[in-house]
Amino acid sequence: STDGNGHVTQHFPRSGGRASSVAPGATVLLDFSYELDDAPRWERFYLVTGDEPFPLEPVRRAARAVATAGSPSAPPPLPLDGQLDQSVFTLSKESVP
């Protein structure tokens, strides 16, 4: 995920260099929760999938690139290799005076 401060967080797997295998249709529960912080404007979550486990560094690099693009709105989808798919969920935040 990325946020309005330009931070990038890896959620699953929580650490490591390769994507985890998940059976099609399987439900995966994380052993932690994600708490929204005071980052302004938005939080954007990316679910990146592929037919085979893939290296995560190119995904992290793409997330860092769009997170720091400087746009006041949510960043665009990740520029990824054509072998990977992504689903994107953006949570918009209201400004608090």
Side-chain angles (χ1 to χ4, degrees):
S1 65
T2 61
D3 68 23
N5 284 330
H7 295 130
V8 174
T9 303
Q10 179 175 315
H11 299 278
F12 180 76
R14 194 158 192 178
S15 62
R18 293 194 64 74
S20 297
S21 284
V22 176
T27 299
V28 176
L29 301 176
L30 303 179
D31 60 353
F32 62 93
S33 62
Y34 185 75
E35 183 175 333
L36 297 179
D37 58 17
D38 61 351
R41 302 184 304 274
W42 47 264
E43 302 272 347
R44 180 162 251 197
F45 297 87
Y46 299 90
L47 172 63
V48 179
T49 59
D51 291 335
E52 301 289 330
F54 50 89
L56 292 174
E57 184 52 35
V59 177
R60 290 189 294 256
R61 192 172 32 250
R64 285 190 297 270
V66 299
T68 58
S71 171
S73 61
L78 301 177
L80 296 174
D81 178 304
Q83 300 296 315
L84 300 175
D85 295 311
Q86 65 183 293
S87 297
V88 183
F89 174 78
T90 302
L91 184 72
S92 296
K93 296 180 175 182
E94 291 184 24
S95 298
V96 177

Tab-separated table of all heavy atoms in Angstrom, residues 40-97:
chain	number	residue	atom	x	y	z
A	40	PRO	N	-2.049	12.193	5.043
A	40	PRO	CA	-3.129	12.960	4.418
A	40	PRO	C	-3.663	12.325	3.134
A	40	PRO	O	-3.023	11.459	2.544
A	40	PRO	CB	-2.443	14.295	4.098
A	40	PRO	CG	-1.014	13.922	3.865
A	40	PRO	CD	-0.741	12.793	4.830
A	41	ARG	N	-4.811	12.743	2.746
A	41	ARG	CA	-5.456	12.530	1.447
A	41	ARG	C	-5.935	11.124	1.135
A	41	ARG	O	-7.076	10.930	0.799
A	41	ARG	CB	-4.565	13.048	0.320
A	41	ARG	CG	-4.220	14.515	0.442
A	41	ARG	CD	-3.430	15.027	-0.738
A	41	ARG	NE	-2.203	14.318	-1.024
A	41	ARG	CZ	-1.021	14.580	-0.459
A	41	ARG	NH1	-0.907	15.516	0.437
A	41	ARG	NH2	0.054	13.902	-0.812
A	42	TRP	N	-5.093	10.085	1.221
A	42	TRP	CA	-5.501	8.761	0.770
A	42	TRP	C	-4.576	7.667	1.288
A	42	TRP	O	-3.462	7.926	1.701
A	42	TRP	CB	-5.529	8.689	-0.766
A	42	TRP	CG	-4.313	9.269	-1.407
A	42	TRP	CD1	-4.177	10.531	-1.904
A	42	TRP	CD2	-3.029	8.646	-1.577
A	42	TRP	NE1	-2.895	10.722	-2.369
A	42	TRP	CE2	-2.176	9.581	-2.196
A	42	TRP	CE3	-2.527	7.392	-1.279
A	42	TRP	CZ2	-0.855	9.293	-2.514
A	42	TRP	CZ3	-1.201	7.107	-1.591
A	42	TRP	CH2	-0.391	8.058	-2.207
A	43	GLU	N	-5.118	6.460	1.239
A	43	GLU	CA	-4.345	5.218	1.409
A	43	GLU	C	-4.753	4.375	0.203
A	43	GLU	O	-5.948	4.251	-0.094
A	43	GLU	CB	-4.734	4.469	2.688
A	43	GLU	CG	-4.567	5.251	3.966
A	43	GLU	CD	-3.186	5.145	4.581
A	43	GLU	OE1	-2.402	4.269	4.169
A	43	GLU	OE2	-2.901	5.943	5.486
A	44	ARG	N	-3.783	3.827	-0.485
A	44	ARG	CA	-4.098	3.022	-1.664
A	44	ARG	C	-3.488	1.638	-1.485
A	44	ARG	O	-2.303	1.496	-1.208
A	44	ARG	CB	-3.556	3.679	-2.922
A	44	ARG	CG	-3.872	2.860	-4.173
A	44	ARG	CD	-3.727	3.680	-5.414
A	44	ARG	NE	-5.064	3.909	-5.933
A	44	ARG	CZ	-5.316	4.301	-7.158
A	44	ARG	NH1	-4.342	4.542	-8.001
A	44	ARG	NH2	-6.551	4.466	-7.558
A	45	PHE	N	-4.335	0.619	-1.622
A	45	PHE	CA	-3.914	-0.768	-1.447
A	45	PHE	C	-3.879	-1.461	-2.807
A	45	PHE	O	-4.813	-1.339	-3.596
A	45	PHE	CB	-4.891	-1.501	-0.513
A	45	PHE	CG	-4.906	-0.914	0.868
A	45	PHE	CD1	-5.738	0.152	1.179
A	45	PHE	CD2	-4.073	-1.420	1.853
A	45	PHE	CE1	-5.745	0.702	2.455
A	45	PHE	CE2	-4.075	-0.869	3.127
A	45	PHE	CZ	-4.914	0.187	3.420
A	46	TYR	N	-2.800	-2.180	-3.059
A	46	TYR	CA	-2.608	-2.908	-4.317
A	46	TYR	C	-2.555	-4.399	-4.014
A	46	TYR	O	-1.794	-4.821	-3.143
A	46	TYR	CB	-1.282	-2.518	-4.966
A	46	TYR	CG	-1.163	-1.063	-5.335
A	46	TYR	CD1	-0.647	-0.146	-4.429
A	46	TYR	CD2	-1.544	-0.612	-6.593
A	46	TYR	CE1	-0.523	1.199	-4.766
A	46	TYR	CE2	-1.427	0.724	-6.934
A	46	TYR	CZ	-0.915	1.627	-6.018
A	46	TYR	OH	-0.793	2.944	-6.352
A	47	LEU	N	-3.342	-5.180	-4.730
A	47	LEU	CA	-3.230	-6.637	-4.688
A	47	LEU	C	-2.603	-7.026	-6.016
A	47	LEU	O	-3.214	-6.852	-7.077
A	47	LEU	CB	-4.596	-7.298	-4.527
A	47	LEU	CG	-4.599	-8.822	-4.656
A	47	LEU	CD1	-3.767	-9.467	-3.548
A	47	LEU	CD2	-6.016	-9.346	-4.659
A	48	VAL	N	-1.373	-7.506	-5.956
A	48	VAL	CA	-0.633	-7.872	-7.159
A	48	VAL	C	-0.562	-9.392	-7.211
A	48	VAL	O	-0.154	-10.036	-6.238
A	48	VAL	CB	0.783	-7.254	-7.154
A	48	VAL	CG1	1.554	-7.657	-8.402
A	48	VAL	CG2	0.685	-5.733	-7.047
A	49	THR	N	-0.962	-9.968	-8.351
A	49	THR	CA	-0.991	-11.421	-8.499
A	49	THR	C	-0.323	-11.843	-9.804
A	49	THR	O	-0.215	-11.056	-10.739
A	49	THR	CB	-2.441	-11.955	-8.483
A	49	THR	OG1	-3.175	-11.357	-9.558
A	49	THR	CG2	-3.126	-11.647	-7.162
A	50	GLY	N	0.103	-13.099	-9.819
A	50	GLY	CA	0.696	-13.687	-11.020
A	50	GLY	C	0.457	-15.182	-11.010
A	50	GLY	O	0.021	-15.747	-10.003
A	51	ASP	N	0.737	-15.809	-12.120
A	51	ASP	CA	0.539	-17.261	-12.223
A	51	ASP	C	1.552	-18.042	-11.398
A	51	ASP	O	1.294	-19.169	-11.004
A	51	ASP	CB	0.613	-17.708	-13.683
A	51	ASP	CG	-0.577	-17.216	-14.489
A	51	ASP	OD1	-1.650	-16.969	-13.900
A	51	ASP	OD2	-0.427	-17.065	-15.721
A	52	GLU	N	2.702	-17.454	-11.153
A	52	GLU	CA	3.780	-18.077	-10.383
A	52	GLU	C	4.282	-17.069	-9.356
A	52	GLU	O	4.158	-15.864	-9.568
A	52	GLU	CB	4.938	-18.473	-11.305
A	52	GLU	CG	4.575	-19.434	-12.412
A	52	GLU	CD	4.274	-20.832	-11.901
A	52	GLU	OE1	4.863	-21.223	-10.866
A	52	GLU	OE2	3.463	-21.530	-12.537
A	53	PRO	N	4.886	-17.539	-8.245
A	53	PRO	CA	5.513	-16.587	-7.315
A	53	PRO	C	6.533	-15.729	-8.071
A	53	PRO	O	7.231	-16.219	-8.955
A	53	PRO	CB	6.181	-17.481	-6.276
A	53	PRO	CG	5.349	-18.724	-6.290
A	53	PRO	CD	4.967	-18.912	-7.749
A	54	PHE	N	6.590	-14.451	-7.738
A	54	PHE	CA	7.426	-13.506	-8.469
A	54	PHE	C	8.234	-12.669	-7.486
A	54	PHE	O	7.874	-12.538	-6.323
A	54	PHE	CB	6.560	-12.601	-9.363
A	54	PHE	CG	5.396	-11.973	-8.641
A	54	PHE	CD1	5.515	-10.748	-8.001
A	54	PHE	CD2	4.173	-12.628	-8.585
A	54	PHE	CE1	4.448	-10.195	-7.325
A	54	PHE	CE2	3.090	-12.073	-7.912
A	54	PHE	CZ	3.225	-10.853	-7.283
A	55	PRO	N	9.326	-12.069	-7.955
A	55	PRO	CA	10.128	-11.217	-7.073
A	55	PRO	C	9.340	-9.964	-6.700
A	55	PRO	O	8.627	-9.386	-7.519
A	55	PRO	CB	11.356	-10.862	-7.903
A	55	PRO	CG	11.157	-11.421	-9.257
A	55	PRO	CD	9.890	-12.202	-9.278
A	56	LEU	N	9.472	-9.538	-5.446
A	56	LEU	CA	8.711	-8.394	-4.949
A	56	LEU	C	9.427	-7.057	-5.122
A	56	LEU	O	8.774	-6.010	-5.106
A	56	LEU	CB	8.360	-8.607	-3.473
A	56	LEU	CG	7.375	-9.740	-3.226
A	56	LEU	CD1	7.196	-9.970	-1.739
A	56	LEU	CD2	6.046	-9.438	-3.891
A	57	GLU	N	10.726	-7.060	-5.318
A	57	GLU	CA	11.431	-5.778	-5.422
A	57	GLU	C	10.909	-4.913	-6.570
A	57	GLU	O	10.723	-3.713	-6.374
A	57	GLU	CB	12.944	-5.982	-5.532
A	57	GLU	CG	13.725	-4.683	-5.535
A	57	GLU	CD	13.391	-3.735	-4.376
A	57	GLU	OE1	13.116	-4.204	-3.255
A	57	GLU	OE2	13.402	-2.504	-4.596
A	58	PRO	N	10.624	-5.454	-7.764
A	58	PRO	CA	10.064	-4.591	-8.810
A	58	PRO	C	8.700	-3.998	-8.413
A	58	PRO	O	8.386	-2.867	-8.777
A	58	PRO	CB	9.923	-5.516	-10.017
A	58	PRO	CG	10.929	-6.590	-9.778
A	58	PRO	CD	10.955	-6.780	-8.281
A	59	VAL	N	7.918	-4.725	-7.638
A	59	VAL	CA	6.624	-4.213	-7.169
A	59	VAL	C	6.850	-3.092	-6.156
A	59	VAL	O	6.216	-2.030	-6.231
A	59	VAL	CB	5.766	-5.345	-6.563
A	59	VAL	CG1	4.457	-4.800	-6.012
A	59	VAL	CG2	5.515	-6.443	-7.595
A	60	ARG	N	7.762	-3.314	-5.214
A	60	ARG	CA	8.075	-2.261	-4.234
A	60	ARG	C	8.627	-1.012	-4.929
A	60	ARG	O	8.261	0.113	-4.594
A	60	ARG	CB	9.072	-2.774	-3.190
A	60	ARG	CG	8.476	-3.801	-2.234
A	60	ARG	CD	9.430	-4.121	-1.097
A	60	ARG	NE	10.641	-4.798	-1.538
A	60	ARG	CZ	10.877	-6.091	-1.379
A	60	ARG	NH1	9.991	-6.867	-0.772
A	60	ARG	NH2	12.005	-6.617	-1.793
A	61	ARG	N	9.488	-1.213	-5.909
A	61	ARG	CA	10.076	-0.090	-6.649
A	61	ARG	C	8.978	0.695	-7.388
A	61	ARG	O	8.961	1.934	-7.356
A	61	ARG	CB	11.134	-0.605	-7.623
A	61	ARG	CG	11.992	0.444	-8.236
A	61	ARG	CD	13.170	-0.085	-9.058
A	61	ARG	NE	12.951	-1.346	-9.748
A	61	ARG	CZ	13.533	-2.497	-9.404
A	61	ARG	NH1	14.361	-2.564	-8.379
A	61	ARG	NH2	13.289	-3.595	-10.098
A	62	ALA	N	8.047	-0.006	-8.020
A	62	ALA	CA	6.940	0.656	-8.720
A	62	ALA	C	6.057	1.409	-7.728
A	62	ALA	O	5.612	2.527	-8.006
A	62	ALA	CB	6.112	-0.380	-9.488
A	63	ALA	N	5.812	0.830	-6.554
A	63	ALA	CA	4.989	1.496	-5.535
A	63	ALA	C	5.683	2.761	-5.036
A	63	ALA	O	5.030	3.802	-4.873
A	63	ALA	CB	4.705	0.542	-4.375
A	64	ARG	N	6.983	2.696	-4.805
A	64	ARG	CA	7.712	3.895	-4.369
A	64	ARG	C	7.653	4.982	-5.437
A	64	ARG	O	7.508	6.162	-5.132
A	64	ARG	CB	9.167	3.556	-4.031
A	64	ARG	CG	9.324	2.827	-2.709
A	64	ARG	CD	10.779	2.723	-2.280
A	64	ARG	NE	11.599	1.944	-3.189
A	64	ARG	CZ	11.794	0.634	-3.103
A	64	ARG	NH1	11.236	-0.057	-2.121
A	64	ARG	NH2	12.563	0.018	-3.975
A	65	ALA	N	7.740	4.596	-6.707
A	65	ALA	CA	7.722	5.572	-7.798
A	65	ALA	C	6.384	6.306	-7.861
A	65	ALA	O	6.352	7.526	-7.990
A	65	ALA	CB	8.015	4.882	-9.129
A	66	VAL	N	5.266	5.578	-7.762
A	66	VAL	CA	3.964	6.258	-7.853
A	66	VAL	C	3.620	6.970	-6.552
A	66	VAL	O	2.929	7.979	-6.573
A	66	VAL	CB	2.819	5.310	-8.281
A	66	VAL	CG1	3.082	4.721	-9.658
A	66	VAL	CG2	2.557	4.238	-7.270
A	67	ALA	N	4.103	6.473	-5.420
A	67	ALA	CA	3.777	7.099	-4.123
A	67	ALA	C	4.412	8.459	-3.986
A	67	ALA	O	3.904	9.318	-3.277
A	67	ALA	CB	4.222	6.200	-2.971
A	68	THR	N	5.521	8.677	-4.652
A	68	THR	CA	6.228	9.952	-4.530
A	68	THR	C	6.068	10.795	-5.789
A	68	THR	O	6.841	11.724	-6.022
A	68	THR	CB	7.726	9.711	-4.248
A	68	THR	OG1	8.274	8.911	-5.302
A	68	THR	CG2	7.924	9.020	-2.916
A	69	ALA	N	5.053	10.508	-6.588
A	69	ALA	CA	4.844	11.240	-7.844
A	69	ALA	C	4.438	12.686	-7.601
A	69	ALA	O	4.490	13.501	-8.494
A	69	ALA	CB	3.803	10.523	-8.690
A	70	GLY	N	3.985	13.021	-6.370
A	70	GLY	CA	3.675	14.394	-6.033
A	70	GLY	C	2.262	14.829	-6.363
A	70	GLY	O	1.925	15.995	-6.228
A	71	SER	N	1.410	13.913	-6.800
A	71	SER	CA	0.031	14.268	-7.122
A	71	SER	C	-0.783	14.437	-5.846
A	71	SER	O	-0.652	13.647	-4.919
A	71	SER	CB	-0.596	13.162	-7.980
A	71	SER	OG	-1.974	13.384	-8.125
A	72	PRO	N	-1.650	15.463	-5.784
A	72	PRO	CA	-2.499	15.622	-4.603
A	72	PRO	C	-3.601	14.567	-4.548
A	72	PRO	O	-4.209	14.353	-3.526
A	72	PRO	CB	-3.085	17.020	-4.755
A	72	PRO	CG	-2.982	17.324	-6.202
A	72	PRO	CD	-1.808	16.565	-6.726
A	73	SER	N	-3.863	13.908	-5.648
A	73	SER	CA	-4.852	12.837	-5.649
A	73	SER	C	-4.130	11.503	-5.491
A	73	SER	O	-2.912	11.449	-5.405
A	73	SER	CB	-5.646	12.858	-6.957
A	73	SER	OG	-4.780	12.654	-8.049
A	74	ALA	N	-4.878	10.438	-5.445
A	74	ALA	CA	-4.281	9.115	-5.294
A	74	ALA	C	-3.402	8.792	-6.503
A	74	ALA	O	-3.684	9.220	-7.614
A	74	ALA	CB	-5.366	8.064	-5.139
A	75	PRO	N	-2.327	8.040	-6.295
A	75	PRO	CA	-1.428	7.706	-7.398
A	75	PRO	C	-2.090	6.749	-8.382
A	75	PRO	O	-3.101	6.124	-8.066
A	75	PRO	CB	-0.247	7.039	-6.687
A	75	PRO	CG	-0.834	6.478	-5.451
A	75	PRO	CD	-1.912	7.442	-5.041
A	76	PRO	N	-1.508	6.614	-9.559
A	76	PRO	CA	-2.058	5.716	-10.571
A	76	PRO	C	-1.769	4.256	-10.226
A	76	PRO	O	-1.029	3.971	-9.288
A	76	PRO	CB	-1.297	6.137	-11.831
A	76	PRO	CG	0.022	6.614	-11.316
A	76	PRO	CD	-0.297	7.291	-10.000
A	77	PRO	N	-2.343	3.341	-11.007
A	77	PRO	CA	-1.972	1.929	-10.840
A	77	PRO	C	-0.467	1.758	-11.008
A	77	PRO	O	0.207	2.611	-11.608
A	77	PRO	CB	-2.742	1.219	-11.955
A	77	PRO	CG	-3.890	2.131	-12.256
A	77	PRO	CD	-3.362	3.525	-12.038
A	78	LEU	N	0.054	0.672	-10.488
A	78	LEU	CA	1.491	0.414	-10.571
A	78	LEU	C	1.898	0.062	-11.999
A	78	LEU	O	1.216	-0.715	-12.665
A	78	LEU	CB	1.870	-0.747	-9.647
A	78	LEU	CG	1.562	-0.571	-8.172
A	78	LEU	CD1	1.939	-1.837	-7.413
A	78	LEU	CD2	2.277	0.640	-7.604
A	79	PRO	N	3.016	0.616	-12.475
A	79	PRO	CA	3.536	0.219	-13.782
A	79	PRO	C	4.296	-1.102	-13.623
A	79	PRO	O	5.451	-1.118	-13.215
A	79	PRO	CB	4.469	1.378	-14.156
A	79	PRO	CG	4.921	1.944	-12.847
A	79	PRO	CD	3.786	1.715	-11.885
A	80	LEU	N	3.622	-2.203	-13.915
A	80	LEU	CA	4.189	-3.535	-13.674
A	80	LEU	C	4.372	-4.304	-14.970
A	80	LEU	O	3.744	-4.004	-15.991
A	80	LEU	CB	3.272	-4.337	-12.744
A	80	LEU	CG	3.089	-3.804	-11.340
A	80	LEU	CD1	2.051	-4.626	-10.599
A	80	LEU	CD2	4.407	-3.798	-10.589
A	81	ASP	N	5.182	-5.336	-14.878
A	81	ASP	CA	5.380	-6.297	-15.951
A	81	ASP	C	4.022	-6.827	-16.409
A	81	ASP	O	3.130	-7.055	-15.592
A	81	ASP	CB	6.245	-7.434	-15.377
A	81	ASP	CG	6.515	-8.547	-16.362
A	81	ASP	OD1	5.556	-9.128	-16.895
A	81	ASP	OD2	7.699	-8.843	-16.577
A	82	GLY	N	3.871	-7.052	-17.693
A	82	GLY	CA	2.615	-7.542	-18.253
A	82	GLY	C	2.185	-8.908	-17.752
A	82	GLY	O	1.050	-9.320	-17.964
A	83	GLN	N	3.078	-9.633	-17.084
A	83	GLN	CA	2.741	-10.958	-16.551
A	83	GLN	C	2.002	-10.879	-15.220
A	83	GLN	O	1.524	-11.887	-14.716
A	83	GLN	CB	4.020	-11.788	-16.360
A	83	GLN	CG	4.803	-12.002	-17.625
A	83	GLN	CD	4.029	-12.827	-18.640
A	83	GLN	OE1	3.434	-13.834	-18.288
A	83	GLN	NE2	4.014	-12.398	-19.881
A	84	LEU	N	1.931	-9.686	-14.630
A	84	LEU	CA	1.299	-9.510	-13.326
A	84	LEU	C	-0.018	-8.763	-13.468
A	84	LEU	O	-0.161	-7.897	-14.332
A	84	LEU	CB	2.224	-8.742	-12.380
A	84	LEU	CG	3.571	-9.394	-12.090
A	84	LEU	CD1	4.429	-8.478	-11.232
A	84	LEU	CD2	3.394	-10.752	-11.448
A	85	ASP	N	-0.969	-9.099	-12.611
A	85	ASP	CA	-2.252	-8.408	-12.554
A	85	ASP	C	-2.318	-7.641	-11.251
A	85	ASP	O	-1.647	-7.988	-10.277
A	85	ASP	CB	-3.413	-9.412	-12.610
A	85	ASP	CG	-3.479	-10.150	-13.933
A	85	ASP	OD1	-3.423	-9.476	-14.976
A	85	ASP	OD2	-3.577	-11.388	-13.912
A	86	GLN	N	-3.171	-6.624	-11.206
A	86	GLN	CA	-3.343	-5.888	-9.960
A	86	GLN	C	-4.788	-5.452	-9.801
A	86	GLN	O	-5.480	-5.165	-10.767
A	86	GLN	CB	-2.404	-4.694	-9.878
A	86	GLN	CG	-2.639	-3.612	-10.906
A	86	GLN	CD	-1.623	-2.494	-10.806
A	86	GLN	OE1	-1.604	-1.766	-9.821
A	86	GLN	NE2	-0.778	-2.382	-11.822
A	87	SER	N	-5.216	-5.441	-8.557
A	87	SER	CA	-6.491	-4.862	-8.154
A	87	SER	C	-6.136	-3.735	-7.201
A	87	SER	O	-5.211	-3.858	-6.405
A	87	SER	CB	-7.364	-5.889	-7.434
A	87	SER	OG	-7.685	-6.939	-8.309
A	88	VAL	N	-6.866	-2.631	-7.290
A	88	VAL	CA	-6.524	-1.446	-6.522
A	88	VAL	C	-7.737	-0.972	-5.741
A	88	VAL	O	-8.849	-0.943	-6.260
A	88	VAL	CB	-6.035	-0.311	-7.460
A	88	VAL	CG1	-5.605	0.902	-6.670
A	88	VAL	CG2	-4.906	-0.798	-8.354
A	89	PHE	N	-7.507	-0.635	-4.479
A	89	PHE	CA	-8.548	-0.088	-3.604
A	89	PHE	C	-8.001	1.183	-2.987
A	89	PHE	O	-6.951	1.162	-2.361
A	89	PHE	CB	-8.907	-1.105	-2.510
A	89	PHE	CG	-9.869	-0.576	-1.491
A	89	PHE	CD1	-11.213	-0.480	-1.763
A	89	PHE	CD2	-9.409	-0.154	-0.257
A	89	PHE	CE1	-12.101	0.023	-0.819
A	89	PHE	CE2	-10.278	0.345	0.696
A	89	PHE	CZ	-11.631	0.425	0.409
A	90	THR	N	-8.694	2.301	-3.186
A	90	THR	CA	-8.257	3.568	-2.640
A	90	THR	C	-9.231	4.039	-1.579
A	90	THR	O	-10.440	4.056	-1.791
A	90	THR	CB	-8.153	4.651	-3.733
A	90	THR	OG1	-7.247	4.192	-4.737
A	90	THR	CG2	-7.659	5.968	-3.168
A	91	LEU	N	-8.697	4.430	-0.455
A	91	LEU	CA	-9.479	4.989	0.656
A	91	LEU	C	-9.138	6.474	0.712
A	91	LEU	O	-8.002	6.842	0.977
A	91	LEU	CB	-9.082	4.293	1.955
A	91	LEU	CG	-9.857	4.674	3.190
A	91	LEU	CD1	-11.265	4.088	3.092
A	91	LEU	CD2	-9.169	4.142	4.407
A	92	SER	N	-10.122	7.328	0.408
A	92	SER	CA	-9.903	8.774	0.442
A	92	SER	C	-10.147	9.280	1.850
A	92	SER	O	-11.079	8.828	2.512
A	92	SER	CB	-10.847	9.485	-0.528
A	92	SER	OG	-10.570	9.097	-1.847
A	93	LYS	N	-9.332	10.232	2.263
A	93	LYS	CA	-9.453	10.802	3.606
A	93	LYS	C	-9.891	12.254	3.503
A	93	LYS	O	-9.467	12.972	2.599
A	93	LYS	CB	-8.115	10.731	4.335
A	93	LYS	CG	-7.625	9.332	4.607
A	93	LYS	CD	-6.298	9.408	5.324
A	93	LYS	CE	-5.801	8.056	5.737
A	93	LYS	NZ	-4.531	8.156	6.471
A	94	GLU	N	-10.730	12.662	4.409
A	94	GLU	CA	-11.141	14.067	4.467
A	94	GLU	C	-10.092	14.859	5.227
A	94	GLU	O	-9.444	14.343	6.128
A	94	GLU	CB	-12.476	14.198	5.168
A	94	GLU	CG	-13.638	13.632	4.408
A	94	GLU	CD	-14.968	13.880	5.097
A	94	GLU	OE1	-15.081	14.829	5.878
A	94	GLU	OE2	-15.879	13.086	4.849
A	95	SER	N	-9.989	16.117	4.893
A	95	SER	CA	-9.087	17.002	5.636
A	95	SER	C	-9.754	17.405	6.940
A	95	SER	O	-10.962	17.627	7.006
A	95	SER	CB	-8.815	18.279	4.838
A	95	SER	OG	-8.195	17.962	3.637
A	96	VAL	N	-8.960	17.485	7.977
A	96	VAL	CA	-9.460	17.930	9.265
A	96	VAL	C	-8.845	19.295	9.543
A	96	VAL	O	-7.618	19.437	9.503
A	96	VAL	CB	-9.086	16.935	10.388
A	96	VAL	CG1	-9.552	17.449	11.729
A	96	VAL	CG2	-9.673	15.570	10.087
A	97	PRO	N	-9.685	20.335	9.790
A	97	PRO	CA	-9.126	21.682	10.005
A	97	PRO	C	-8.279	21.763	11.255
A	97	PRO	O	-8.368	21.036	12.165
A	97	PRO	CB	-10.342	22.569	10.112
A	97	PRO	CG	-11.525	21.680	10.256
A	97	PRO	CD	-11.105	20.293	9.886
